[in-house]
């Protein structure tokens, strides 16, 4: 990590690119909240201040930059923590956007799921589309006429029988909405704390409607779902980029809470 700004932790910064660690429970795009309620708004605040000071790049000498305009290259769900790339100008945004469109990016996630995943590794290949039976408008599901979607997984740790959870490393091979969360639920191992795909969508509605009870919170175990975007690799302008970020405290503490795992 390069440094923390109070708005977010910066993993990398140069004249064209800002790589940050988005905290859980922060949306990427603007909401009706204040200027601190979304990642893009916080990026604007940061860059407005950064225009008057040199950029301390992780691998270059300080660069004095003019005013910049942030462009999110990709997004994470509100409760998903981890790496997000932000272009500082439209030229960089177009170039990076093309890389994402061609899927020439390798993304890695960590997740803690319910149950012991039987296979040590595998690929979940299940098409995704709108869940027309759900009361939640944004909810998708596995359906035969959906868009192709594949997620590769590796089991990193299985907790004890008294703590039936698994820690997974995941590579989404496609980029569908909620893909990892839906695929893991389809596998029979929903992500810990997932209010939408954990088996009871009313948990999500209760959160949105601000009626989530202490009993429901206890069922969820964690305040945010246990999904973290931990690594991004890609080639840009003739250079290989490889960024990593460690999970937040709640995730890390849960993942290491069992000393005797197989």
């Amino acid at each position: 990590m390069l440094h923390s700004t109070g708005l977010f932790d910066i993993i990398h910064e140069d004249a064209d690119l800002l790589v940050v660690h988005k905290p859980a429970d922060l949306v990427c795009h603007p909401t009706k909240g204040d200027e601190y309620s979304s990642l893009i708004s916080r990026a604007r605040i940061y860059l407005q201040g950064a225009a008057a000071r040199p950029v301390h790049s992780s691998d270059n000498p300080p660069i004095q930059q003019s005013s910049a305009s942030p462009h999110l290259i990709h997004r994470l769900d509100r409760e998903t923590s981890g790496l997000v790339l932000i272009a500082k100008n439209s030229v960089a945004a177009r170039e990076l956007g093309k890389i994402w469109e061609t899927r020439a990016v390798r993304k890695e996630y960590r997740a803690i799921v319910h149950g012991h995943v039987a296979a040590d590794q595998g690929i979940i290949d299940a098409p995704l589309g709108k869940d027309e039976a759900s009361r939640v408008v944004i909810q998708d599901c596995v359906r035969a006429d959906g868009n192709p979607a594949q997620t590769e997984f590796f089991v990193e740790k299985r907790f004890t029988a008294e703590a039936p959870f698994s820690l997974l490393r995941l590579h989404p091979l496609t980029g569908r909405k909620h893909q990892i969360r839906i695929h893991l639920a389809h596998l029979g191992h929903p992500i810990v704390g997932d209010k939408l795909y954990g088996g009871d969508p009313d948990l999500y509605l209760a959160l949105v409607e601000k009626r989530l009870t202490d009993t429901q919170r206890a069922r969820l175990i964690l305040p945010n779902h246990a999904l973290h975007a931990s690594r991004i690799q890609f080639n840009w302008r003739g250079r290989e980029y490889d960024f990593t970020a460690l999970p937040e405290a709640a995730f890390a503490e849960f993942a290491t809470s069992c000393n005797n795992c197989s």
Side-chain angles (χ1 to χ4, degrees), residues 82-101:
L83 295 166
V84 175
L85 271 64
I86 303 171
K88 292 186 176 182
N89 53 69
S90 58
V91 173
R94 284 194 297 271
E95 292 176 2
L96 289 166
K98 290 179 181 177
I99 295 173
W100 253 252
E101 289 172 5

Side-chain angles (χ1 to χ4, degrees), residues 31-42:
T31 65
K32 295 181 180 179
D34 61 26
E35 65 268 29
Y36 298 99
S37 64
S38 72
L39 181 63
I40 192 66
S41 297
R42 293 187 185 192

Side-chain angles (χ1 to χ4, degrees), residues 201-221:
D202 187 61
L203 290 170
Y204 175 81
L205 292 173
L207 176 71
V208 172
E209 296 166 2
K210 302 185 186 304
R211 56 176 174 81
L212 201 63
T213 66
D214 290 342
T215 300
Q216 288 174 315
R217 294 181 191 279
R219 283 172 53 199
L220 289 165
I221 303 175

Side-chain angles (χ1 to χ4, degrees), residues 103 107 148-150 172-179:
R103 301 179 185 174
K107 293 178 283 187
Q150 299 86 33
L173 306 181
T174 52
R176 308 300 179 193
K177 185 183 76 175
H178 300 168
Q179 175 178 310

Side-chain angles (χ1 to χ4, degrees), residues 2-3 11-18 54-64 88 236-237 239-241 243:
L2 191 56
H3 67 280
I11 305 300
H12 169 89
E13 182 174 17
D14 58 40
D16 295 307
L17 179 63
L18 181 64
V55 174
H56 294 284
S57 172
S58 56
D59 52 4
N60 291 306
I63 301 171
Q64 192 70 38
K88 292 186 176 182
W236 181 41
R237 295 177 175 175
R239 173 183 169 183
E240 288 290 337
Y241 287 87
F243 301 117

Side-chain angles (χ1 to χ4, degrees), residues 41-53 65-70:
S41 297
R42 293 187 185 192
R44 290 193 188 100
I45 293 171
Y46 173 74
L47 291 178
Q48 286 168 2
R53 63 178 180 266
Q65 64 176 5
S66 59
S67 59
S69 175

Side-chain angles (χ1 to χ4, degrees), residues 128-134 136-141 143 146 177:
L128 304 179
K130 183 174 178 55
D131 188 345
E132 297 175 348
S134 175
V136 182
V137 176
I138 64 170
Q139 188 167 9
D140 284 357
C141 66
R143 50 185 295 171
K177 185 183 76 175

